[in-house]
């Protein structure tokens, strides 16, 4: 069963590429018409507004949750308690306490779709960072620009409620996970600032009061080393969609620029430039085959919890 009809469309496409998998139920929150349209497009025989009841029926092997963060814990907990494989979109939960509970419950049966780990350009950047060619890593910078909220209107009122819906949740947790994955360390947030660009927006049902940040800058340090990091996110970068990563070592520097729409990327190190074509970054094959067998690692619930800790540290500091 897949729960969620927004980014759930991407998950349905990913799952359709896995011939050994069938999606038998599509869960939705409010938009039954979209759920039925997606079910027709992807051949899902059943839709439901009550995924918990479907879990209780006992005819599932796995549940994937792609709904807003405050809905994750109830469905994932029910799935894990029923002995099912549980997959969730980021962030793992609506707060660290819920994320900790889920990580403890999951064991090796929970995965988070930090799909950029599957991107071959980022996997190559990770190799360069680990194999010594850059020397000792001293700094990493990660930036994520997007324009899906570049304007005073919004199609997603929930994205503006508290810290679980802001740019750090939308984009920042991806970068915080990439930071931990590319340059492992004992990372801690040292400073953070954020901004709400439009305090009030126009939503599908009227005016939306906006609490969640549209822009954020986060500084981090490796408490067990000397490396520093900066993470920047914007969901209001009109006309620009790009992810940038820079890893600086004592003997070299590598820089990556990626297209978030199709996964293509260019990686530069000195005079060497490597181009990577579009990539679906489908995490499901690795989840279904030993968990660690794809282009890069697959993030489990422990990774999701670790990224959530950094995300909430940044959220707290940015609100001071």
């Amino acid at each position: 069963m897949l729960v969620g009809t927004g980014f759930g469309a991407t998950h349905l496409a990913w799952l359709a590429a896995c011939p050994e998998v069938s999606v038998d139920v599509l869960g939705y929150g409010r938009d039954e018409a979209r759920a039925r349209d997606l079910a027709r497009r992807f051949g899902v025989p059943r839709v439901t507004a009550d995924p918990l009841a479907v879990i209780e029926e006992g005819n599932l092997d796995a549940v994937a949750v792609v709904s807003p963060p405050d809905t994750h814990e109830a469905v994932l907990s029910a799935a894990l308690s029923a002995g099912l494989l549980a997959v969730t979109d980021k962030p793992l939960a609506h707060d660290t306490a819920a994320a900790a509970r889920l990580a403890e419950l999951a064991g090796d049966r929970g995965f988070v779709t930090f799909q950029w780990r599957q991107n071959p350009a980022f996997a190559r950047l990770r190799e360069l960072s680990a194999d010594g060619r850059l020397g000792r890593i001293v700094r990493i910078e990660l930036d994520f620009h997007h324009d899906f909220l570049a304007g005073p209107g919004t199609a997603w009122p929930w994205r503006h409620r508290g810290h679980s819906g802001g740019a750090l949740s939308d984009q920042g947790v991806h970068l915080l996970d990439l930071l931990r994955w590319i340059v492992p360390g004992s990372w801690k947030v040292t400073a953070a600032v954020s901004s709400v660009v439009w305090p009030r927006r126009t939503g599908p049902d009227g005016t939306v009061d906006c609490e969640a940040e549209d822009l954020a800058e986060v500084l981090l340090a490796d408490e067990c080393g000397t490396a520093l990091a900066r993470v920047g996110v914007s969901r209001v970068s009109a006309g620009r969609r790009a992810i940038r990563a820079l890893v600086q070592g004592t003997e070299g520097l590598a820089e990556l620029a990626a297209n978030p729409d199709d996964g293509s990327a260019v990686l530069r190190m000195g005079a060497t430039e490597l181009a990577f074509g579009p990539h679906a970054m489908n995490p499901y094959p690795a989840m279904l085959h030993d968990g660690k067998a794809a282009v890069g690692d697959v993030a489990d619930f422990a990774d999701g919890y670790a990224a959530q800790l950094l995300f909430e540290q940044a959220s707290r500091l940015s609100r001071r």
Side-chain angles (χ1 to χ4, degrees):
M1 176 171 64
L2 179 77
V3 180
T5 60
F7 196 59
T10 297
H11 282 250
L12 286 169
W14 280 338
L15 288 163
C18 301
E20 70 273 42
V21 174
S22 65
V23 180
D24 297 326
V25 185
L26 178 60
Y28 66 92
R30 296 178 54 187
D31 197 340
E32 181 179 1
R34 177 170 172 79
R36 293 197 178 279
D37 178 62
L38 287 173
R40 283 192 296 270
R41 286 167 51 193
F42 288 96
V44 182
R46 179 182 175 187
V47 301
T48 182
D50 191 353
L52 296 179
V54 176
I55 292 172
E56 290 177 5
E57 292 173 9
N59 297 316
L60 302 173
D61 297 313
V63 173
V65 177
V66 199
S67 49
D70 59 1
T71 68
H72 287 191
E73 186 179 15
V75 180
L76 292 170
S77 294
L80 291 166
S81 297
L84 306 179
L85 178 72
V87 178
T88 184
D89 197 35
K90 54 74 191 170
L92 175 55
H94 63 285
D95 62 26
T96 52
R101 289 190 291 269
L102 288 168
E104 183 176 3
L105 184 61
D108 61 358
R109 292 182 293 116
F111 297 106
V112 183
T113 53
F114 286 128
Q115 69 268 24
W116 284 95
R117 289 188 179 205
Q118 302 304 311
N119 185 282
F122 277 97
R124 182 64 175 145
L125 180 62
R126 184 186 188 221
E127 291 173 3
L128 289 172
S129 301
D131 68 10
R133 268 178 286 179
L134 298 178
R136 177 171 52 86
I137 305 303
V138 296
R139 182 175 178 83
I140 178 169
E141 297 182 12
L142 294 158
D143 290 284
F144 194 163
H145 287 272
H146 212 288
D147 60 357
F148 70 100
L149 284 173
T154 181
W156 309 279
W158 67 268
R159 292 189 183 276
H160 307 279
R161 295 197 307 262
H163 71 272
S164 66
L168 285 168
S169 173
D170 285 332
Q171 302 152 276
V173 287
H174 277 299
L175 301 188
L176 293 168
D177 178 69
L178 284 172
L179 170 64
R180 295 183 61 252
W181 186 63
I182 295 170
V183 184
S186 182
W187 291 103
K188 181 178 180 180
V189 176
T190 59
V193 292
S194 65
S195 176
V196 177
V197 175
W198 281 278
R200 305 188 82 189
R201 292 176 181 264
T202 301
D205 299 318
T207 301
V208 177
D209 291 322
C210 303
E211 304 170 332
E213 74 283 347
D214 296 309
L215 301 163
E217 294 278 337
V218 183
L219 299 181
L220 306 97
D222 179 2
E223 293 186 301
C224 295
T226 59
L228 302 176
R230 183 188 63 79
V231 167
V233 291
S234 169
R235 57 186 188 179
V236 292
S237 298
R240 187 179 183 201
R241 298 182 178 186
I243 296 179
R244 172 181 168 270
L246 183 148
V247 179
Q248 180 181 352
T250 54
E251 297 179 21
L253 181 149
E255 187 170 11
L256 187 156
N259 182 337
D261 290 334
D262 66 7
S264 61
V266 174
L267 176 61
R268 297 180 180 88
M269 180 180 170
T272 302
E273 179 175 298
L274 298 174
F276 297 81
H279 196 279
M281 299 183 292
N282 184 350
Y284 282 100
M287 292 176 188
L288 298 170
H289 298 103
D290 301 325
K292 302 289 182 181
V295 171
D297 288 345
V298 177
D300 60 18
F301 276 20
D303 293 312
Y305 173 58
Q308 187 123 17
L309 281 173
L310 294 175
F311 154 48
E312 290 209 355
Q313 287 175 18
S315 294
R316 286 196 302 270
L317 288 173
S318 70
R319 281 171 167 74
R320 288 183 178 177

